[in-house]
Amino acid sequence: MNVRSRPRWDAVPPATGAAVMATGIISVGFHLAGFDALSIADLWIAGVLWLLLALAFTALLLGDPGGWTARSQTPPALTAVAATTVLGVRVDQLGRTAAAEALLVVAALAWPVLLTSVLRHLGRRLPGAAFLICVATQGLAVLAATLAPHTADWLARAALPVFVLGLLLYGDALFRFDLRQVTEGAGDHWVAGGAMAISALAASKLLACGVWSGGAHTALRVVTLVLLGVALAWYAVLAVAELLRPRLRYDLRRWSTVFPLGMTAVAALSTATAARVDWLEPLGRALLWVAAAVWLIVAVGALRRLRRRPGSRPRPSR
């Protein structure tokens, strides 16, 4: 491999996977809300970004194993798993069950390797990226439960312990989370709420898959509503913090703001159907447009950053 090509892959940070997660979940939301043209457009963007990141991931693994190992020890590496599961959910909505199953296999193979590596190197007083240990795990539960009605009930039964593990990992991440990030974070502090939102989505998918009945079904419904309530509370707290302490400069970690916004909207829309709570649907639709607006703002910031040449210098201030 050409040595000169390696820095180009090194320049793709693992956190870029959050852009795939954000775009993919908004695509899922637009489909649920009936805006299929917008959903397909976002799906194409998410798909292209996922392929580019998969290529960079593979090239780095083959060309610089040491660099790959170092990156795999950080929480943002888990965006590879989460992005794959989100893309799988949207692909399944298209009726491409086999492709969604393939994405589930890819995510399931990468998940234990990356999760173990990240957990071994987690510290204290961490930013919101710490919650990716929950997000990646719940992403597997969401995709497995989504596929269960089309494939086999055992996928839903396998998703249940993964879902429970995700909740335990949320507690671990919360213990390690530096609460000062709520007012000082650069964008990934929103994952504290997004991890709870994807947990609510996983619960709603388990509720809707039709495997459980009676008391188990009732318990899942209660858990779904409680998790969504906590996710909405996080949403409110983080939104107020953004108003009190605005952080307006573009940062790559702002994609980790868009994802929780979109995930909360999708969780509300999914819960509205699964738990039969009608008022959650208009709430989910409203939150979806908020997420789409923030996605557009962050995308413009990303494009402006990309257009800056590496050798260009900012004009001196007067």
Side-chain angles (χ1 to χ4, degrees):
M1 179 176 291
N2 188 346
V3 176
R4 294 182 180 179
S5 66
R6 291 181 184 176
R8 299 176 64 181
W9 300 121
D10 293 341
V12 180
T16 310
V20 183
M21 295 161 58
T23 309
I25 199 60
I26 290 178
S27 176
V28 171
F30 275 142
H31 175 76
L32 293 176
F35 299 100
D36 285 334
L38 291 174
S39 178
I40 292 296
D42 278 335
L43 176 60
W44 273 103
I45 296 172
V48 170
L49 288 175
W50 185 88
L51 288 173
L52 290 174
L53 288 170
L55 179 60
F57 186 87
T58 304
L60 185 62
L61 175 61
L62 297 176
D64 185 6
W68 184 93
T69 300
R71 290 190 177 196
S72 71
Q73 297 170 355
T74 63
L78 287 166
T79 60
V81 176
T84 302
T85 59
V86 169
L87 193 62
V89 170
R90 182 63 187 95
V91 168
D92 181 70
Q93 289 176 332
L94 292 174
R96 308 290 184 178
T97 303
E101 289 174 337
L103 289 171
L104 177 60
V105 171
V106 171
L109 291 174
W111 171 70
V113 176
L114 294 174
L115 181 63
T116 302
S117 178
V118 170
L119 288 175
R120 288 177 59 189
H121 296 87
L122 277 184
R124 293 288 304 276
R125 296 185 179 276
L126 295 174
F131 289 95
L132 286 168
I133 61 176
C134 169
V135 171
T137 304
Q138 296 294 24
L140 283 176
V142 169
L143 183 52
T146 299
L147 287 169
H150 313 303
T151 53
D153 288 349
W154 70 264
L155 271 178
R157 300 188 189 280
L160 183 59
V162 175
F163 163 71
V164 174
L165 175 60
L167 294 180
L168 294 175
L169 290 172
Y170 185 90
D172 183 44
L174 185 61
F175 176 74
R176 299 172 185 274
F177 181 53
D178 184 356
L179 289 174
R180 292 175 297 181
Q181 291 289 309
V182 172
T183 55
E184 299 174 4
D188 59 350
H189 56 291
W190 275 85
V191 187
M196 187 54 63
I198 196 172
S199 298
L201 178 61
S204 73
K205 292 296 185 181
L206 289 167
L207 180 66
C209 68
V211 173
W212 292 277
S213 60
H217 184 274
T218 301
L220 268 175
R221 184 177 187 275
V222 172
V223 169
T224 302
L225 293 173
V226 169
L227 292 177
L228 181 61
V230 176
L232 291 171
W234 263 115
Y235 192 111
V237 169
L238 293 166
V240 170
E242 291 280 358
L243 292 175
L244 295 177
R245 295 285 300 273
R247 285 145 275 179
L248 302 180
R249 290 187 177 183
Y250 171 77
D251 191 291
L252 176 63
R253 287 166 288 185
R254 273 304 180 187
W255 287 112
S256 294
T257 298
V258 181
F259 172 72
L261 294 175
M263 181 55 71
T264 306
V266 170
L269 290 170
S270 180
T271 302
T273 301
R276 298 182 180 179
V277 182
D278 293 340
W279 62 268
L280 285 174
E281 183 176 355
L283 174 63
R285 286 174 175 267
L287 295 179
L288 179 62
W289 287 112
V290 172
V294 177
W295 181 94
L296 185 60
I297 293 171
V298 175
V300 170
L303 290 174
R304 287 180 175 176
R305 178 67 61 87
L306 287 173
R307 289 178 63 184
R308 295 178 186 173
R309 296 180 179 179
S312 63
R313 297 181 179 178
R315 293 179 180 178
S317 57
R318 297 181 179 178

